[in-house]
Amino acid sequence: MTGAATGRTSGGSGPARWARLRRGLVAGVGTALAAALVPAPAGAAPVPAPRAEAAAEAPPPAWEPCPEGVGQEGLPPLECSSVAVPLDHGDPARGSIDLALYRAALPAGAPRPPRVLFVNSGGPGGEASLLTSLVSATYPAPVRARYDVVGVDPRGVGRSVPVSCLPPVTGGPVPTPDQRLVTPAQRRAAVAAGAAVAAGCFARSGDLVPYLSTEQTARDFDVVRAALGQRTAAFVGYSYGTLLFARYATLFPTRVERLVLDSAVDPATWGQRFFAERVQPFEDRLVDWAGWAARYDDRLGLGAQRWRVLRTYDAAVAGLARRPVVVDGTPVGAGDLQGVLGQAMYSDALWPAAAQALGLVRALQTGAAASAAQRAAGALLPGAAAALPTPGPDNQPSALYSVLCNDGAFPDRPGPVLRDVDRALRTAPRLGAIQASAGLPCVSWPLDPVRPVVRDVPGGPVPLVVQARREAVTPYPMGPAMAAATGGRLLTVTGGNHTHVGLALEPCTDRVVTAYLLRGRLPREGAVCGGAPLPVPPAPTAATAPSPVEAARSALLRRG
């Protein structure tokens, strides 16, 4: 394909989910194929039958109210539609698949905005309905007046032929073990689990998995753009969505009106290097969190100095590794607490709940009384990484690894990954070491990667790249790297939040992005915006329910 590079290396959005993925691996793998794909005639390879509507000139979508359960109560309701795209853009005769589309429902008789803005929440594997509904409430009114915000479940995700790599989990809940891979037994189990994930993807969804890639998905968006009757469109990509939309702009530069890349991935790192470069930033972010928690020792009780908070965390993890605790009838292990803290590194807004969850664990371990706020946060611990979109609990991690392994540069054996773990255990032993092992399923992947090439191609707009200085998920150097690759302009944000525009309550960032979307105005070189203020934890007796917007933000962040 145009601009695609292949070849898996030899020898060298969601580690928290990888913890849960290991739990779901049981002996034997199902052989059911993706039900949404239409079987080919007997004697042919099992691929979907061709459909005329899979052509690049797709018909206009028919919109209707979304089915119950799509979107979130308290946020703008959504309309749903679908567009057919080729299963394989390189060979449309292989058949087509349907992609789910979302947009905000408007009052009867209200005109639709004249232009389209596509959003993507990242992952890979992030479904689109929640983000579409959320930003339809949080994007500034002038942006919503100009642009019809449209979300698309990428192929393999949500309601767009969902991929599945794991059989249903059987039996009762079990605690998640320590995810740092300290012992030989833990490493053997992790390597075996990674291999089972890779095998399961092809056994359960083998007709679909080879076509789940950034390359194919970028081309899907061009079919959707044409079906919506738009000569050009604007794009706001978050996290992995920056790589997806940067690839789109490389392929179709003249069809991009505006391009916002929020919390950018460095395209050159996509693969094992991406996880290796997150090791120290995750550890540094945990230290930031510990310093914040120490300032509120009167409310959190984790220690009045940063080192004391970290010692409390270490004691809790060590205790859970020896003996899990039970929260609301569910056993909680070291990996569950690590998952909660790992998710909290995505956003300051998640820090109070993570601190309360740690406090609950310590209370259960020491026999102390738990506060109301701690008991409320306990809901995060069992299945910390299981807040995944429909249709099934394995869809998001299955899509993540399908795209990541089809795209990225990974070693072809586990040794180099485990050496990254060894290095991380020496320099970033709490959360960083968990990052290093996140790519293990990809070392067993049977296909050569089709790497998403990103370039500054004449004919398109100058992209706006937004990156936070202390963020861990896509560390700050990835922002300048993406700006250099695309010819973009970098906006630096203080603090460490991952994703910003319309999501992080950052007025300066939203003003700069609004000026860019409406008038194409770029910030000056070296521009810096202040990040969101750090949160104040609730009083120990408080257990207040979040607003719909707060709940949606938290859900998006916990999906990675």
Side-chain angles (χ1 to χ4, degrees):
M1 296 181 182
T2 303
T6 62
R8 190 164 296 285
T9 63
S10 178
S13 221
R17 287 186 183 78
W18 170 229
R20 285 283 157 186
L21 230 57
R22 294 176 188 166
R23 178 188 294 186
L25 296 170
V26 295
V29 182
T31 57
L33 299 171
L37 297 176
V38 182
V47 297
R51 297 203 313 230
E53 61 266 34
E57 297 285 332
W63 295 92
E64 58 186 20
C66 287
E68 186 176 355
V70 175
Q72 180 163 312
E73 186 177 353
L75 294 179
L78 297 175
E79 294 179 344
C80 287
S81 188
S82 64
V83 167
V85 300
L87 172 67
D88 180 359
H89 287 273
D91 184 5
R94 288 184 181 273
S96 66
I97 55 178
D98 289 331
L99 302 183
L101 276 60
Y102 309 93
R103 71 181 186 185
L106 298 181
R112 304 297 314 185
R115 304 185 184 185
V116 163
L117 187 155
F118 289 112
V119 292
N120 180 272
S121 64
E127 62 88 40
S129 64
L130 183 58
L131 176 65
T132 305
S133 186
L134 176 59
V135 300
S136 295
T138 62
Y139 277 3
V143 173
R144 288 181 279 124
R146 177 187 178 100
Y147 291 110
D148 214 358
V149 178
V150 174
V152 180
D153 280 349
R155 54 174 58 209
V157 175
R159 298 169 66 237
S160 295
V161 288
V163 63
S164 175
C165 295
L166 300 175
V169 177
T170 58
V174 295
T176 305
D178 192 327
Q179 297 298 298
R180 294 174 297 173
L181 309 189
V182 176
T183 70
Q186 289 170 348
R187 294 184 179 204
R188 288 192 296 271
V191 170
V197 170
C201 289
F202 288 88
R204 296 175 64 81
S205 300
D207 289 344
L208 178 63
V209 167
Y211 307 103
L212 300 181
S213 66
T214 300
E215 183 74 14
Q216 296 278 4
T217 305
R219 294 176 182 274
D220 289 344
F221 272 88
D222 201 53
V223 177
V224 176
R225 174 203 56 78
L228 294 173
Q230 298 288 315
R231 186 180 64 83
T232 62
F235 297 80
V236 177
Y238 299 90
S239 195
Y240 160 76
T242 64
L243 181 62
L244 172 62
F245 287 161
R247 179 59 185 155
Y248 179 92
T250 301
L251 291 168
F252 309 109
T254 62
R255 300 171 192 174
V256 179
E257 179 181 329
R258 303 278 191 268
L259 178 59
V260 178
L261 305 175
D262 184 337
S263 304
V265 172
D266 176 358
T269 69
W270 196 229
Q272 179 60 21
R273 184 180 155 199
F274 174 75
F275 295 112
E277 294 202 0
R278 292 169 21 143
V279 165
Q280 195 59 50
F282 259 85
E283 202 76 3
D284 294 343
R285 186 91 163 115
L286 182 67
V287 172
D288 291 347
W289 168 84
W292 165 86
R295 291 197 294 275
Y296 293 101
D297 185 49
D298 59 329
R299 294 189 172 207
L300 300 174
L302 302 178
Q305 291 85 31
R306 177 179 295 165
W307 67 269
R308 290 186 183 276
V309 175
L310 293 173
R311 189 168 70 176
T312 299
Y313 172 74
D314 291 340
V317 170
L320 291 172
R322 291 190 302 269
R323 177 182 292 182
V325 299
V326 177
V327 176
D328 295 333
T330 301
V332 170
D336 297 302
L337 181 60
Q338 290 165 335
V340 169
L341 267 294
Q343 289 170 342
M345 300 305 99
Y346 282 61
S347 172
D348 306 340
L350 303 180
W351 284 9
Q356 299 291 1
L358 173 57
L360 175 62
V361 168
R362 289 306 287 153
L364 293 171
Q365 289 174 328
T366 62
S371 70
Q374 289 172 341
R375 290 193 298 272
L380 298 174
L381 283 163
L388 305 176
T390 54
D394 82 314
N395 178 235
Q396 187 169 6
S398 296
L400 185 155
Y401 281 109
S402 294
V403 173
L404 180 67
C405 300
N406 278 334
D407 278 3
F410 288 91
D412 57 6
R413 60 187 187 276
V417 175
L418 297 178
R419 286 194 290 274
D420 282 347
V421 173
D422 286 334
R423 285 188 287 270
L425 285 170
R426 291 192 295 269
T427 63
R430 293 182 175 92
L431 292 183
I434 300 171
Q435 297 299 312
S437 65
L440 275 173
C442 298
V443 305
S444 301
W445 206 252
L447 302 178
D448 285 335
V450 179
R451 306 211 48 202
V453 176
V454 170
R455 290 194 295 265
D456 178 10
V457 180
V462 176
L464 176 59
V465 180
V466 181
Q467 207 83 1
R469 284 199 187 278
R470 296 288 294 176
E471 92 131 291
V473 184
T474 52
Y476 181 73
M478 294 191 180
M482 176 63 91
T486 60
R489 180 67 55 83
L490 177 67
L491 174 66
T492 296
V493 181
T494 62
N497 283 328
H498 178 66
T499 67
H500 306 271
V501 181
L503 303 180
L505 300 178
E506 295 172 351
C508 173
T509 304
D510 287 345
R511 283 196 303 271
V512 171
V513 173
T514 297
Y516 173 75
L517 289 172
L518 297 183
R519 297 181 291 279
R521 180 191 300 165
L522 289 163
R524 59 175 175 77
E525 292 278 2
V528 177
C529 272
L534 292 177
V536 176
T541 56
T544 57
S547 70
V549 168
E550 290 169 338
R553 283 193 179 104
S554 294
L556 280 171
L557 290 164
R558 290 196 171 95
R559 291 175 183 179

